[in-house]
Each structure stands twice: as C-alpha cells, then as structure tokens.
Amino acid sequence: MAWLVLPGALFCMLRFGLGTPDSEGFPPPALHHCPYKCVCAADLLSCAGLGLQDVPTTLPSAAEDLDLSHNALRRLRPGWLAPLSRLRALHLSHNELDALGRGIFSNASRLRLLDLSANALRALGRHDLDGLEALEMLLLFNNHLARLDEHAFHGLRTLGRLYLGYNELASFSFNHLHGLGTTHLRTLDLSSNQLGLISIPELAALPAFLKNGLYLHNNPLPCDCRLYHLLQRWHQRGLRAVRDFAREYTCLAFKVPTSGVRFFEHSRIFENCSATPAVGLERPEEQLHAQVGGSLRLYCNTSAPALSIAWVSPQQELLLAPGSRDGSIRVLADGSLAISTVQQQHAGIFVCLATGPHLHHNQTFEYNVSVHFPHPEPEAFNTGFTTLLGCAVGLVLVLLYLFVPPCHGCCHCCCCCCCRHQLCRSHRWPGAPSPLQELSAQSSVLSTPPDAPSRKASVHKHVVFLEPSRRGLNGRVQLAVAEDFDLCNLSGLPLKAGSESASSTGSEGLMMT
C-alpha cells in the first residue's frame, strides 16, 4: 500500500501547491444569479441587445444599474423588480412595450432614472408610474403616446426632467402638469408632438425656471398674436428652450399642415399683432441691481400666509432652509432670501415658490438680479475747503477796496493810464481838442441851506465860471479853461471868462467846484 501513498501525496502537492486548473489559463466561473449571456460587473447588470422577449427570472440583488434595452420585451409583470432593492437606473428603451399597468414599479422606491424611450406606448394611466417616489428623470420620447391621464404623474414628487418629445400628444395641461409639481421640475420636453391647442394664460403663469426648460418647437402651434408676443418675450429674455431652437418654432397660418411658417423669421404674418400686444399675460419680474461684495435680501410677498416657501436659484438649485450648498445664500425663518456677499454667480432670476391652504393656488414670484462691479468713484470735491478759500479771497478783495488808498495825485493816475498807451510823456492834452474834450458838464451847485449857518461856504473857495460855447454848442456849457493845460499842475490852472459868463459876488449860494 505504500506505493499508493506516494502518488497521492504528489497529486495533493500539485493541486494545492501549484494551483488548480481554474486558477490559471481558464475563465472564472459565472457569478451567482447572473442571467445567461448577460454581463454582471460589480453593481451593473447589462442584458442589452440579446433579443429577449421576457425579463430573466433570476436577477442579482446587488445590481444598481439594469440595462434591458434593444430587446423585444412586450410586457412587464407586476413585482418583477422585487429582488432589486438597490436599483437606481433602469434602461428599457428600444423594446416593444405598448402598455405598462398597475404595480409594474411597485418595488422601485430608490429608482432615479427610468428610460422608456423608443417603445410603442400609446397611453399613460393614473397608476402606471406608482412607486417611483424618488424618480428624477423620466424618458418617454419616441413613443406613440396620444393620451395622458390627468394625474398620470401625480406620484413623481421629485421629478426634475420629463421628456415627452416625438409622440402624438394633441394637448397638455399646463395648469397642473398632469399631477407634476413645479418645485423640482426643470425640463419639460414636448417638442415634435401634435400640440395645437395650448392655453396661453397657463403658459404665461409657469415659473421662469420651467419656461427656460419648456421645449415646444416642431408643433403645429396656431399663429396667435398672444402666443407670438409671449414667445418673442421669451426669446428676448434669452430663455434656453426658445433661444436654442428658434428656427424650429413654427405655427400654422391656416388650418392646413403645409401652411407652417417660422415664428421668428416670417414676421409679416404678425404685422397686425403690434396693435394688440399681449398685455398682462406675464407678470414682469422685479428688477434688482446689486454690486459685487454688497448684500441682498429677497422677500416672497404672498397674498396670504404660506405654509411652505422654497426658492430656486439662477443655477436651478432648489433652496430650502438653511440655504444653498456653498453657504453663500441663506433661507431665513420668514421665508426670505439673504445674500451677505453678492458675487457674479448670483446674477439671474430667483423664483419664490409659495404653497399653503389659504392660497387659492401656488404662487410664484420672480426677481431678476443684475450684479455689477463697483465703479471707481472720483475724489470727492471738498466744498468746504473751496468755500473757505472763496470767502478768504473775497475778504481780501473787500479789504483792498476799502483800505488801500488810491494812487496819490492826479498826475500818477493819469500817467498810469496814459503810459499804457504811450501818451504820458508830456502830461498834456494834445493841441487839437478831442470829441470828449468838447463835451462839458454842468457843475454842481453847492448851496448852503438857510437853516444850517455853521455849514457856510468859505470865502476862500475858488469859483469856477461856466460859459456857453461860441462854436455851435447849441446852448451847452464849456469849462472856461485854457485848452493847453498841464494836468499835473492844477494849482496854476488859468481860468478864462467869457463875456456872457455869470459872476458870483457872495460867499453863500455860490457856484463852486
């Protein structure tokens, strides 16, 4: 028996010491519960493109992302997602699903993404999407949807993006969005449908952040003046959905499919609309201006006390107490919004969402905040200093006028004036009288009143005689002095009296200068 023990020991050494055939050069065995031909990698499960007509019966519970796209699935049985309690994303696009039904997603409470695009769905019932309380994105484009239940989306409280493009929808309720709430909804794609009946007041009442993501292009919209003005205003405001697809917004000029014209390129159709603008359709947002580094406070002024108030930032972030993720925006206890240090990122439209039992309907308020850099201010003009300087200069001029004596002697004054014109060399008038010299003035009569004897004129005063001109002065009087006299020596001024001069012989009541 010893010869049998030795080969057995060698075999054990080869098996456990050198490894098993499966450890090198051979593929690993299939993971437990991974469906046949599917790929299981960590928390991903992909069964795409396998031509499956039914969902595999065994699914790994660890899967968080399940891809069943590009198959031939026609029905989904209720409760089929029960083993996948961690599922967050479900891809069912490019199948042949024509209906859903109650309980299909009853065990998908953690699902965030549901892709049902490119199927054959024709309608959505009231309970088809029950159980998707945490859903954030729903893709239903490229189906045959022609009818939506009034409350088809009522349980999707956290839905942010809904894609319904490339369907056959002829109407859509913008009043309540078929049960959707506007608190989280940011994108609503209704492009490439058959929408011809749209309530324009309901469109205008939507909050600004939802208008920014509301896609209505490639629909047979009516060429209505109010709709034209509404879309024009959205385009001017730069709303993304209208700005990016401006060429694809069309309307029917007549009730014929071939009469479609582009809203923003064929303005001749709307020439008569200028007389009937869409006044009052939209409540204009309040314009606010703030400087970088300053503070800002926004209030949600509702018509009645609100039960809950939420805000939406320009970056489409839902703002609840205590505030934004980066801490730059705070939501206070009274529902108002406070920004202690304004930055460029705070520019844009802030929307307040107010709900409550005393409000007739949910109310929204919009604030368009413009942020500017502070302009460098020029140096402040010191008015006090300039006023004091002006007063000082004025005082000096007044003092000079009052106390500085004039130039001594007539000679100095005359010389100062004449030298400026180089005429003061001889200090005498030129021989020929100028026109100014020919003019004479009536001398003042200084008479002493009878009741003031103390103010009698002195007998030593010089008397100046006036005589009429003999050379055609027409009665004007002329100072009877010599024409060639020295202005600098008035003491020797010769006086001449004409024959027609009047004389004065008294010491009182004399004509004197």
Side-chain angles (χ1 to χ4, degrees), residues 196-254:
L197 299 175
I198 291 182
S199 175
I200 299 175
E202 291 180 3
L203 273 182
L206 294 175
F209 60 84
L210 184 52
K211 295 173 185 175
N212 189 54
L214 177 60
Y215 296 88
L216 294 172
H217 56 278
N218 287 335
N219 276 287
L221 301 173
C223 292
D224 184 81
C225 288
R226 295 188 303 167
L227 182 60
Y228 170 72
H229 283 290
L230 186 64
L231 293 178
Q232 278 280 18
R233 188 169 187 269
W234 291 4
H235 189 268
Q236 293 171 359
R237 293 173 61 185
L239 298 185
R240 184 180 66 244
V242 180
R243 180 195 60 201
D244 295 344
F245 296 90
R247 287 182 53 84
E248 299 181 35
Y249 273 84
T250 60
C251 67
L252 296 181
F254 309 100

Side-chain angles (χ1 to χ4, degrees), residues 403-436:
F403 297 103
V404 174
C407 51
H408 300 286
C410 180
C411 177
H412 180 69
C413 296
C414 295
C415 289
C416 292
C417 299
C418 296
C419 289
R420 189 174 303 170
H421 302 285
Q422 299 180 355
L423 298 174
C424 196
R425 294 179 180 176
S426 62
H427 307 295
R428 296 178 183 273
W429 292 105
S434 64
L436 293 176

Side-chain angles (χ1 to χ4, degrees), residues 23 25 35 50 151 172 263 275 286 288 339 368 376 444 448 480 486:
S23 62
L50 300 180
H151 301 283
F172 189 86
F263 263 101
E286 185 174 347
L288 297 177
I339 305 176
N368 192 355
S444 301
T448 305
D486 188 359

